[in-house]
Amino acid sequence: MSTAAKVIADDTEALSVAAALADGFQAEASRRDAERRLPREELELLSASGLLAVTVPAEHGGADVRQETLAEIFRLLASADASLAQIPQSHFVYVNVIRRQGTSEQRKFFFGEVLAGRRFGNAQSEAGTKHVQDIRTRLEPRPDGSYVLTGVKHYSTGALFADWIPVLARTEDETLHVAYVPRDADGVTVVDDWDGMGQRTTASGTVRLDAVPVPADRIVPHHLTFQSPQLHGAIAQLLHTAIDAGIASGALPEAVEFVRTESRPWFESGVETAAEDPLLIQRFGELAIRVRATEALLGAAARAVDAARADLTEASAAEASIAVAAAKAYAATTAVEVSAALFEVSGTRSALNSLNLHRHWRDARTHTLHDPARWKVQHIGRYVLNGTLPPRHGLL
């Protein structure tokens, strides 16, 4: 970080700053995607804006905004550039881990880092393992009380641009911990080998950890998070939901603009402009309803999380997880449908590669693969029909 970060005072200021940043980020978003130009300058602006510190608790000098506000911040950013919005998602998740399980000394240190504009990345997922929770990266103790970290991580969104890389790893007793490792620490290699068809500028590549030394006070016992009612998964999934909602709310205006200015009416319609075609009017109405419903579900889910934060019980945590799961399942289908319908309503010319209108669909299709909506629907059904509380595995 080269620029001192602003400290945002409250929810209103946070939303105002996010809206202004989103407006600026949108201008070059298509070109960044087309050229796979990584958003280093934009991330510096994001850090300097103070937005990355808006969830720092008030007692540590942060605004501690509502989750409803945080979700709207992500929706605004994603409507401008879904890659750029994806990069800080893990940042807020791992700030939340510090809040939940960090010692007072760890909270003081890391919240200070965040307020200064430092960015957290992530080194979480692993390829070639049995499933997503089969974490094989190891934290091995040394005689002096410190640890050595060894493993290989994939889909490490944000790591390339991070000041700190939170690493998910297991200790000797197989419990899950998060090690907060400096991006430039000895033994850390971040490889920009992400070649996804969508979210092309997230640099979600590989992190190699070769006997990385980690002091004991940079390790947090993440497994404790899931031993009592928690909102870790609900908050993480809420931000993913906001990204999907943002993709949809960004694609729809592009379709509107294209139809108004570029599309020709179908000859059988008998109208002078495409915007007067009654069949297109009908389809735009349907798409607008889906986008509005998605945004409403996102807001309702965020408010459920805020309510659970204020009074965290088994029941309130479950209700928050289910509300987020419902919003996420709906938002995922909306993002894909609206970004695909952009071509349906716009006509043949919209498929030109030079226009890059397909970035919305590519982003939606890529982002919605993070975790399967079908399992969310399963947990919703079990909750509604049998009163079965959702699992505490951090992905719901």
Side-chain angles (χ1 to χ4, degrees):
M1 279 294 302
S2 57
T3 307
K6 179 181 179 181
V7 177
I8 288 175
D10 54 27
D11 294 68
T12 301
E13 184 181 6
L15 291 172
S16 175
V17 170
L21 280 178
D23 283 345
F25 292 159
Q26 186 174 21
E28 292 291 313
S30 180
R31 182 171 295 181
R32 282 193 298 273
D33 173 87
E35 299 173 359
R36 198 177 180 271
R37 193 174 76 214
L38 300 182
R40 298 181 187 276
E41 293 180 8
E42 288 78 11
L43 286 172
E44 288 296 322
L45 290 173
L46 183 63
S47 287
S49 75
L51 275 185
L52 295 180
V54 294
T55 60
V56 170
E59 61 266 30
H60 289 274
D64 199 10
V65 301
R66 299 186 304 274
Q67 295 304 294
E68 186 175 9
T69 297
L70 186 62
E72 179 61 7
I73 288 169
F74 270 78
R75 192 195 67 80
L76 287 166
L77 294 176
S79 70
D81 185 338
S83 286
L84 198 47
Q86 183 65 45
I87 292 168
Q89 191 268 348
S90 291
H91 170 90
F92 285 98
V93 169
Y94 285 104
V95 169
N96 197 42
V97 170
I98 292 289
R99 180 176 186 148
R100 174 82 179 187
Q101 297 298 344
T103 64
S104 58
E105 291 80 10
Q106 287 172 326
R107 289 195 292 271
K108 180 179 179 182
F109 174 77
F110 280 113
F111 290 153
E113 289 286 281
V114 173
L115 284 165
R118 307 285 189 264
R119 294 188 291 268
F120 290 174
N122 98 86
Q124 181 170 287
S125 295
E126 299 180 13
T129 56
K130 187 176 180 180
H131 50 69
V132 70
Q133 292 201 320
D134 181 14
I135 302 297
R136 301 182 184 180
T137 298
R138 310 302 300 187
L139 268 170
E140 299 174 350
R142 297 201 297 190
D144 65 359
S146 66
Y147 289 79
V148 171
L149 183 63
T150 303
V152 179
K153 298 289 189 176
H154 298 267
Y155 313 120
S156 303
T157 303
L160 188 68
F161 315 108
D163 298 287
W164 292 89
I165 302 176
V167 180
L168 212 53
R170 296 194 185 277
T171 52
E172 285 182 311
D173 62 1
E174 297 301 321
T175 56
L176 207 55
H177 290 68
V178 177
Y180 289 75
V181 178
R183 163 71 176 79
D184 59 358
D186 291 341
V188 174
T189 305
V190 181
V191 185
D192 178 20
D193 56 0
W194 169 244
D195 67 347
M197 68 173 181
Q199 296 197 302
R200 298 183 67 226
T201 60
T202 60
S204 302
T206 301
V207 172
R208 295 193 175 94
L209 306 153
D210 183 15
V212 178
V214 185
D217 63 358
R218 296 293 179 262
I219 298 170
V220 174
H222 191 36
H223 61 101
L224 298 180
T225 298
F226 308 104
Q227 294 181 4
S228 59
Q230 51 80 38
L231 296 169
H232 176 81
I235 291 171
Q237 290 296 308
L238 181 69
L239 302 186
H240 281 307
T241 305
I243 292 169
D244 286 342
I247 293 171
S249 62
L252 186 58
E254 284 224 44
V256 168
E257 179 65 17
F258 196 91
V259 169
R260 283 176 174 171
T261 61
E262 301 290 341
S263 296
R264 296 183 298 178
W266 184 244
F267 71 95
E268 293 178 285
S269 68
V271 296
E272 291 297 314
T273 66
E276 297 171 286
D277 184 331
L279 298 182
L280 284 182
I281 289 171
Q282 176 72 19
R283 187 60 174 134
F284 271 101
E286 293 167 349
L287 296 173
I289 290 169
R290 280 209 66 110
V291 171
R292 283 173 177 258
T294 297
E295 292 173 358
L297 282 169
L298 174 66
R303 290 189 292 275
V305 174
D306 281 325
R309 288 179 79 203
D311 182 18
L312 187 59
T313 64
E314 198 78 67
S316 67
E319 182 56 36
S321 287
I322 293 299
V324 173
K328 179 66 171 70
Y330 195 85
T333 57
T334 299
V336 173
E337 179 181 347
V338 173
S339 58
L342 187 157
F343 303 100
E344 170 195 335
V345 297
S346 299
T348 307
R349 187 170 179 272
S350 64
L352 292 178
N353 197 54
S354 58
L355 296 176
N356 200 25
L357 293 174
H358 48 65
R359 73 179 174 91
H360 299 291
W361 182 86
R362 289 186 290 102
D363 286 344
R365 186 65 281 176
T366 301
H367 183 256
T368 55
L369 298 176
H370 267 85
D371 48 275
R374 58 188 176 272
W375 275 98
K376 298 183 186 303
V377 175
Q378 279 282 311
H379 292 305
I380 294 166
R382 292 170 183 170
Y383 179 75
V384 170
L385 186 60
N386 298 315
T388 304
L389 298 183
R392 295 177 186 163
H393 54 41
L395 294 173
L396 194 72

